[in-house]
Amino acid sequence: MLDEHVPGFKQRGRGLSAGQTLTAIASCQLAGGDHLVSLDRRRADTAGQELQPVPTPASTTAAGLAKRLRTTPSQQRVS
């Protein structure tokens, strides 16, 4: 349901949908992760991955997808 309302996300055959990505980030935060690099630590835990509701994306993937959510000029990064 969430996937239909998040613009800019294209799910590939091997990738996660917008809803799955947000679920993975939320799950990481609930387990105490406070930075995107925490996603990498969770990915490295192969036994823990079996217990996750969705696969955990790499921190670089999550960061790239998060950048796509900036939609208004005030949210755009100034270089």
Side-chain angles (χ1 to χ4, degrees), residues 20-47:
Q20 290 173 315
T21 302
L22 293 174
T23 300
I25 293 170
S27 175
C28 183
Q29 288 178 332
L30 287 170
D34 56 353
H35 298 308
L36 286 177
V37 74
S38 299
L39 293 171
D40 292 331
R41 287 192 285 269
R42 287 178 66 94
R43 281 184 65 156
D45 179 11
T46 54

